[in-house]
Amino acid sequence: MYTVTATDEPCIYSNKICEPESFNTTEIPRVCPGAHCNFAFYGGGKSLYHQYINTFHVYNLFVFIWLVNFVIALGQCSLAGAFAAYYWAMKKPDDIPPFPLFTAFGYALRYHTGSLAFGALILSLIQIFKMVLEYMDSQLKKTQNSISKFLQCCLTCCFWCLEKMVKFLNRNAYIMIAIYGKNFCISTRDAFNLLMRNIIKVAVTDEVTHFILFLGKILISGFIGILAFLIFTQKIPTIIQGPTSLNYYWVPLLTVIFGSYLIAKGCFSVYSMCVETIFLCFCEDLERNDGSAEKPYFISPNLHGILIKKHPAPQRQSRNSPSSATHT
């Protein structure tokens, strides 16, 4: 974009948009002697693109968030399919299909893409609303009163809780999709009903799992941080060859700790998905089977002994039948 710049005296055309190709043929040089058509800035045109540039930015941000959530959903559904294939194999590992992870990934791409995209869309809408609220809060921070700040905090808290709840339901819905192959809405309903029927087991298992995985992340990050500190301060120079002395080692040390925590979080997310899938399959197994010869449990006796105090009957009904163990 080019604007008129007058150097000698005030001009009525100052800072007006001009075209350098046709500037000398206009009346501006006659009315304002010494005026020039100089480059001012980029953008600001009157085309359709420039009029809706902010809308396009929001659209690109939304699609990016949607694609990120879709990739995460695809990974979760693939992992759930692989772990479910292990659980529902009667004779382990003979009945487990070959390459279960690649098989589950292929099934997710071929049959469940729409369900995964729909679940990612719901989560993306909630996240984009959160960003809009944060943007409005940053723009109106100086003009807000106590009531508006209180309402803003309430909305932010509500959307944060809603996002956490949707993420939790989506993960369990993806597990049901991987097991039964139904659509997203039916799988979400079935997963929610199954979790509500086992709400105490769900609460205990999730809290214990999250606590143990968090300790694992902290342990790995702490170990890597100590090792990096010893290397950066040349306490153990025999591990690495070459100059390792640093004038200020806190920035690379914190970077290494933060990076190791992110890597540990990504690796432990696989274990978290494994626990959730096995647990959901276990709850479904208890409701579908009773441990008898006609309806044996798919769960192994060792894992059954961990989750339930009583062990399942081997092949015949007895006094301590697994049907009574489901209420333990």
Side-chain angles (χ1 to χ4, degrees):
M1 302 303 299
Y2 295 83
T3 58
V4 177
T5 304
T7 57
D8 296 337
E9 56 185 13
C11 177
I12 60 173
Y13 295 102
S14 295
N15 298 324
K16 299 293 183 180
I17 302 297
C18 62
E19 295 291 338
E21 294 83 3
S22 60
F23 177 75
N24 294 328
T25 61
T26 62
E27 62 176 3
I28 299 177
R30 181 176 56 82
V31 176
C32 302
H36 301 279
C37 185
N38 296 326
F39 169 79
F41 53 87
Y42 288 102
K46 297 182 180 180
S47 64
L48 182 65
Y49 171 78
H50 292 97
Q51 292 177 2
Y52 294 96
I53 184 68
N54 293 329
T55 305
F56 293 152
H57 286 324
V58 175
Y59 174 77
N60 285 332
L61 177 62
F62 173 73
V63 173
F64 173 75
I65 296 174
W66 191 5
L67 290 177
V68 169
N69 289 326
F70 174 77
V71 172
I72 295 175
L74 181 61
Q76 291 176 345
C77 187
S78 301
L79 290 174
F83 296 134
Y86 159 80
Y87 183 92
W88 295 111
M90 180 59 69
K91 296 181 180 179
K92 302 175 178 60
D94 297 335
D95 294 341
I96 299 177
F99 306 106
L101 183 60
F102 290 101
T103 303
F105 179 74
Y107 284 158
L109 279 180
R110 183 176 180 182
Y111 299 109
H112 310 315
T113 306
S115 298
L116 302 179
F118 184 67
L121 175 62
I122 297 175
L123 182 59
S124 302
L125 289 174
I126 297 174
Q127 291 175 343
I128 204 71
F129 278 125
K130 279 185 56 182
M131 293 182 180
V132 170
L133 288 176
E134 293 174 358
Y135 176 76
M136 293 175 59
D137 181 51
S138 62
Q139 295 296 319
L140 303 175
K141 185 171 293 185
K142 296 182 180 180
T143 60
Q144 286 180 342
N145 52 27
S146 300
I147 298 177
S148 61
K149 289 182 179 179
F150 175 74
L151 293 177
Q152 180 73 23
C153 292
C154 290
L155 288 175
T156 303
C157 181
C158 290
F159 273 97
W160 181 83
C161 296
L162 182 61
E163 181 185 6
K164 293 297 182 181
M165 184 186 68
V166 170
K167 283 184 177 180
F168 177 76
L169 290 178
N170 279 5
R171 285 198 305 269
N172 290 277
Y174 299 150
I175 295 173
M176 300 300 288
I177 289 173
I179 296 175
Y180 293 106
K182 298 179 181 179
N183 60 46
F184 178 80
C185 296
I186 297 178
S187 299
T188 304
R189 181 200 63 190
D190 295 341
F192 179 79
N193 293 333
L194 182 61
L195 293 174
M196 288 298 102
R197 292 193 296 268
N198 301 271
I199 187 63
I200 299 179
K201 295 186 181 71
V202 172
V204 174
T205 304
D206 284 351
E207 293 302 323
V208 172
T209 302
H210 293 164
F211 179 72
I212 293 177
L213 294 182
F214 178 74
L215 289 181
K217 299 171 192 176
I218 296 300
L219 181 62
I220 293 176
S221 302
F223 176 76
I224 296 298
I226 294 174
L227 183 62
F229 175 79
L230 295 177
I231 293 177
F232 292 156
T233 56
Q234 293 184 326
K235 301 296 182 180
I236 44 175
T238 57
I239 291 182
I240 188 171
Q241 300 295 329
T244 58
S245 61
L246 295 173
N247 295 326
Y248 188 76
Y249 56 82
W250 284 109
V251 173
L253 179 62
L254 294 177
T255 303
V256 169
I257 294 175
F258 182 72
S260 62
Y261 180 82
L262 292 181
I263 295 175
K265 182 178 180 180
C267 294
F268 278 107
S269 64
V270 178
Y271 290 95
S272 177
M273 198 66 192
C274 175
V275 172
E276 293 184 10
T277 304
I278 296 299
F279 178 75
L280 211 63
C281 293
F282 168 73
C283 295
E284 187 73 11
D285 191 12
L286 290 183
E287 293 187 355
R288 290 170 51 181
N289 305 303
D290 55 5
S292 61
E294 294 78 13
K295 294 182 178 181
Y297 288 130
F298 284 84
I299 190 172
S300 61
N302 293 331
L303 188 57
H304 188 279
I306 295 175
L307 298 176
I308 297 293
K309 291 183 179 180
K310 296 182 180 181
H311 290 271
Q315 290 295 334
R316 58 188 180 84
Q317 201 79 7
S318 62
R319 293 181 179 179
N320 296 329
S321 63
S323 59
S324 61
T326 58
H327 303 286
T328 303

